[in-house]
Structure formats: structure tokens, C-alpha cells
Amino acid sequence: MEGALVTSDPADAPVSGALAPMFVHFALLSLMAIGGGVVMVAPDMQRYVVDAHHWISAEQFSAAFALAQAAPGPNFLYITLVGWEVAGFAGAAAATLAILGPPTALSIAMVRASSNRAPGPVARAVVKGLVPISVGLVFATGWILLRGSGSWDFRGATVALLAAAIILRTKINPVWVIAAGAAAGIAGFV
């Protein structure tokens, strides 16, 4: 993770030109993060800040994601770190407000509008349709993170597939699989 996140200088970030576009884009994406699934919008955030605008590198994005997921707390912390990488403190505040504001306002409005109604056929169809979209977005997030990690080779792909198989096929706590992957990385196997 050399050169990523902990060593970057927020003073060098392009504050003036990045804040408003980043805020608007993240706010729109936040409305797609149904049920707290902000991890699922990571591929588009990565595409926007890394590929489209070159505000940060793929390694910085992956480092922000990994650091936020390793830390205790909500899983949207990576967005705050990406905002920090893009534009320092102002970027962190803008990214956090963008990801929290619109869904909060929408949730409050929907609770008030539907407090006395049972879900109808349209609401049930929307929920049913979101399942395959959510699964696809989770896989896209994994692909983006694996590709941007800087360790995209046969060994890295093998470890990722092995970890997924262990988590899907056993009842081992994913924390132990993450710890094993970290140990393999420290030992130089990956």
C-alpha cells in the first residue's frame, strides 16, 4: 500500500474542480445503494474518480476500500476516505454528506407517505427485481477491487477464488479468511 492513503498529501488534492461534481455523482449513486449497500456502488465510484477524472489511482481507491472495510464501523467509510484522497477534508465531508443525505431524506419521506399502507404488487416486484441487481453489483465490486489491488496475477486470483469458495462452502467466519489472506500477503505468498 505504499503511496496510498496514509502517505498522500491532501493539500495537493484538486479541491476546487472536484467537490461539486463528486458531490452530485455520489449523491445520485447513494440513491442506488438500497438497504445500506453502498459497497455495491463502488464500481461506479471507482470508474468515476479513477478512470473518468483521474483524481486518484486505482491503488488509492483499493487501499481506501480495504482500510475502511478493515476498520470497525459502517461499511460506507470508504467513501469518506475516497473523498479525502480526492479533495482533503472538504472532499471527505462532501462525499460523506452526499452518500448519507439523499437516502436519509428519501427514507423519511417514504416512511411518512407509507406509514398506513401495506406493500402493493409494485413494491413487491421492485424488491424482487433488486436481488439480481444487488448480486451483480457485489461481484462487480469484487472484480474492481481485485483488478485495482496491484496484485492481479494468478496467485491473487487463486487466493480470491479460494477465499470465496471457503466462505460459500463452510461456516468459517469470514474474519478468519481475511486474517489468513493478510498472513499470506505478509508472508509473500500473494
Side-chain angles (χ1 to χ4, degrees), residues 1 22-23 45-46 52 56 90 99 126 133 149 161 167 173:
M1 265 192 325
M22 182 180 68
F23 180 86
M45 286 185 175
Q46 192 269 353
I56 62 175
I99 209 67
V126 167
I133 292 170
S149 70
L161 289 173
I167 290 171
N173 189 324

Side-chain angles (χ1 to χ4, degrees), residues 27-183:
L28 290 172
L29 283 178
S30 73
L31 294 173
M32 292 176 36
I34 309 295
V38 294
V39 171
M40 293 183 271
V41 295
D44 193 67
M45 286 185 175
Q46 192 269 353
R47 182 199 59 77
Y48 188 74
V49 300
V50 174
D51 299 334
H53 293 287
H54 308 288
W55 289 330
I56 62 175
S57 68
E59 290 79 17
Q60 286 174 298
F61 186 90
S62 292
F65 189 89
L67 182 62
Q69 295 306 307
N75 64 359
F76 72 84
L77 290 176
Y78 80 95
I79 296 164
T80 302
L81 294 175
V82 167
W84 176 267
E85 286 291 319
V86 170
F89 181 77
T96 302
L97 289 173
I99 209 67
L100 293 176
T104 301
L106 181 62
S107 295
I108 291 169
M110 293 307 295
V111 164
R112 290 185 181 194
S114 66
S115 62
N116 295 329
R117 298 186 188 137
V122 172
R124 287 190 299 272
V126 167
V127 169
K128 200 174 188 180
L130 287 175
V131 171
I133 292 170
S134 297
V135 170
L137 287 171
V138 166
F139 279 116
T141 300
W143 175 256
I144 290 290
L145 293 174
L146 183 62
R147 201 179 68 196
S149 70
S151 64
W152 176 246
D153 60 4
F154 178 73
R155 292 180 304 178
T158 303
V159 168
L161 289 173
L162 182 62
I166 290 170
I167 290 171
L168 290 172
R169 298 279 184 190
T170 68
K171 295 188 185 264
I172 294 175
N173 189 324
V175 171
W176 294 113
V177 177
I178 293 169

